[in-house]
Amino acid sequence: MKGAEQLFDDVLVQKYGGSSVATPEKIQAVAGRIGDALKRSAHVVVAVSAMGKTTDQLIAMAREVSPSPRGREMDLLLASGEQIAVSMVGLALQARGIAAVSLTANQCGIHTDGSFNKARVRSVETARLVQELGAGRVVIVAGFQGVTVNDDITTLGRGGGDITGAVLAAALNASSYENCTDVDGVYTADPRVVSEARRIPHLSYEECIELAAAGAKVLHPRAAEICMQYKVPIHVRHSFSGKPGTWIREGATMMERPSVVGVTTDRKVAKVTLMDVKDQPGIAAHVFRDLADAEINVRLIIQASPSHERNRLTFIIESDDIDALKALVPGWKKAKTAGRVEVDNDVAKIAIVGSRIASTPGLAARMFTALADHSINIDCISTSEMKVSCIIAEKFLDDAARAIHAEFFGQAVTSESDEGPKPRSAKRAAKPAAKAAAKRRTPRA
């Protein structure tokens, strides 16, 4: 990369999410934290997301003038939120006597492909960044956005601010990437749902990616993948707390890591079922080629054959893609690919994640038993080397999270090197669950 030889040895990259800059008061607090960071590193780059619920508000406004707002114009609209936020942070820093400059993705050279709404980073130019850092300024970069070769603004999708921080850290060969958020680190479950959830001090990149992909919301999986590729340590920590958080890096896995490191949940999914699918070669290829062309991510696939002639094809997509999915249905019906298409938005995904899922017998059985003991039915199941996922009714998601967490983490861990809790009986697991129920060179993304 041009200018790579000019990079500094002590660059710290931080990212602050929308909740951390939601109000002027919080922006002032973030400015204070950045000031503290300057005591640890002479060169600080900060990626910032839009303030609070700004992105959601812009989406709602767009839906008042368009039934399905997508594409270039939508990205131009959504990118405005981050431009406001970086300006506010820059002003707050300058008011403290800290030299700072705010930059859009175009100004700092974050180049993406042309996939509007879900763009992927192709390269990051470092010349402007190095120039500003060399002049002693804190550089505040608008997260979530990039620019194409035609100078069109793109956005990186939900959680894209994490990706911006990661690509900046990778491009600048940063000493670390601090992902600052509203929790103290990565937890064994969502602490807002499972009161007994515990902070995980250390994670490998692979474990973090699986947790994030399965629904953990503290870090985007693409951000973790970038940092893994360029060996940038990640520190997930609270925006305003001095607590240590969770370190994610190469070789972070303990020699005797518990088989399950976390329970994740995801409400933003939908189940799609194609009924009366022709039983002939090429049908599945046709369906999933259409989905790919529409840039719809598929999470899980199940094909069933209730009769000799007709099949049923079920898959899970992100709920944000439902409108794009529905646009494909008339074509499938016209081609007689499927007789009927059902979309169920009242589902959710729950998963157990760990580095030794596939090599540890009985984990799936324990998970399924915990659900059964709470009369929670399983709709779909998917397994991999590091994960077991279930689709269940959304209304039971919180109870399911508490029950499964109680099964795998209910017994106190006395030291970080412990293997973890032993299997417990269903009755013993049910009690705490019921009680809780009552209350980131040229990175590519």
Side-chain angles (χ1 to χ4, degrees):
M1 174 182 293
K2 289 184 179 180
E5 69 281 0
Q6 301 172 346
L7 297 181
F8 305 101
D9 294 331
D10 60 343
V11 176
L12 171 64
V13 174
Q14 294 184 320
K15 177 261 177 181
Y16 290 94
S19 61
S20 300
V21 294
T23 65
E25 292 78 13
K26 287 189 174 184
I27 289 175
Q28 291 282 11
V30 164
R33 293 287 289 185
I34 296 171
D36 292 339
L38 285 169
K39 299 174 184 177
R40 296 182 280 127
S41 175
H43 305 98
V44 176
V45 177
V46 183
V48 178
S49 296
M51 297 172 62
K53 299 294 184 180
T54 299
T55 301
D56 291 337
Q57 293 167 358
L58 291 172
I59 292 173
M61 288 173 57
R63 286 176 174 161
E64 292 180 3
V65 297
S66 171
S68 182
R70 296 173 67 88
R72 179 187 182 277
E73 306 309 318
M74 192 62 175
D75 276 359
L76 188 62
L77 171 65
L78 295 183
S80 66
E82 277 68 23
Q83 186 170 334
I84 295 170
V86 294
S87 301
M88 291 285 284
V89 174
L91 289 168
L93 287 170
Q94 291 171 1
R96 289 173 173 261
I98 299 173
V101 60
S102 58
L103 302 175
T104 65
N106 189 22
Q107 290 172 321
C108 72
I110 299 178
H111 298 285
T112 73
D113 60 20
S115 300
F116 294 107
N117 313 139
K118 294 181 180 180
R120 301 182 76 87
V121 179
R122 287 183 168 176
S123 66
V124 177
E125 295 179 3
T126 58
R128 178 71 183 272
L129 293 165
V130 170
Q131 175 188 342
E132 299 293 353
L133 291 171
R137 300 186 184 95
V138 173
V139 182
I140 311 122
V141 179
F144 179 59
Q145 62 183 251
V147 63
T148 69
V149 293
N150 296 321
D151 292 329
D152 285 324
I153 293 175
T154 58
T155 62
L156 308 180
R158 282 286 187 181
D162 293 353
I163 299 170
T164 301
V167 296
L168 291 171
L172 293 167
N173 194 26
S175 57
S176 65
Y177 166 41
E178 289 188 357
N179 189 285
C180 304
T181 182
D182 56 358
V183 293
D184 293 329
V186 183
Y187 276 69
T188 52
D190 187 340
R192 293 164 294 193
V193 174
V194 182
S195 60
E196 295 83 3
R198 299 192 296 271
R199 181 181 59 85
I200 308 170
H202 305 282
L203 282 172
S204 68
Y205 289 118
E206 293 84 359
E207 289 170 333
C208 177
I209 291 168
E210 287 292 342
L211 283 167
K217 302 171 182 64
V218 291
L219 186 68
H220 197 290
R222 281 164 58 189
E225 289 169 356
I226 294 161
C227 289
M228 179 173 69
Q229 180 180 355
Y230 292 89
K231 296 180 171 56
V232 178
I234 307 169
H235 193 186
V236 178
R237 62 187 309 185
H238 198 284
S239 295
F240 309 118
S241 163
K243 295 182 180 180
T246 299
W247 278 99
I248 302 157
R249 49 192 162 199
E250 197 172 37
T253 303
M254 296 177 292
M255 186 174 293
E256 286 297 321
R257 162 78 77 187
S259 300
V260 175
V261 299
V263 179
T264 67
T265 56
D266 190 357
R267 298 179 185 276
K268 294 185 176 182
V269 297
K271 185 180 73 170
V272 181
T273 302
L274 276 62
M275 311 293 291
D276 297 327
V277 179
K278 289 181 180 179
D279 187 15
Q280 66 182 52
I283 295 298
H286 173 211
V287 170
F288 290 99
R289 185 165 54 245
D290 286 349
L291 292 169
D293 290 343
E295 299 183 347
I296 298 174
N297 293 323
V298 177
R299 302 283 193 88
L300 184 156
I301 304 169
I302 295 175
Q303 183 167 3
S305 302
S307 69
H308 179 69
E309 296 180 351
R310 295 290 181 178
N311 294 333
R312 176 182 297 178
L313 184 62
T314 297
F315 51 89
I316 305 301
I317 64 172
E318 298 174 9
S319 55
D320 288 345
D321 289 329
I322 289 178
D323 289 341
L325 181 282
K326 289 181 176 179
L328 299 175
V329 173
W332 290 341
K333 290 184 176 181
K334 183 177 181 180
K336 297 183 178 180
T337 299
R340 189 169 80 254
V341 178
E342 297 179 351
V343 180
D344 185 355
N345 200 26
D346 296 323
V347 297
K349 181 163 65 72
I350 188 163
I352 55 173
V353 177
S355 57
R356 298 191 286 117
I357 294 289
S359 62
T360 306
L363 298 180
R366 291 172 61 189
M367 179 184 186
F368 301 158
T369 299
L371 293 173
D373 288 341
H374 286 71
S375 301
I376 298 173
N377 192 42
I378 300 172
D379 197 332
C380 307
I381 300 170
S382 174
T383 65
S384 68
E385 287 294 314
M386 298 180 66
K387 179 172 59 184
V388 179
S389 303
C390 295
I391 300 300
I392 62 174
E394 182 185 7
K395 63 183 179 181
F396 297 127
L397 186 61
D398 289 353
D399 287 341
R402 296 181 189 114
I404 294 172
H405 190 275
E407 171 61 32
F408 292 100
F409 299 97
Q411 179 178 323
V413 176
T414 58
S415 102
E416 289 184 7
S417 61
D418 286 348
E419 170 61 22
K422 302 299 180 183
R424 304 181 304 137
S425 69
K427 290 183 178 180
R428 291 178 63 198
K431 290 181 180 179
K435 182 178 179 181
K439 336 181 207 172
R440 232 180 128 206
R441 319 208 269 223
T442 307
R444 297 180 182 272

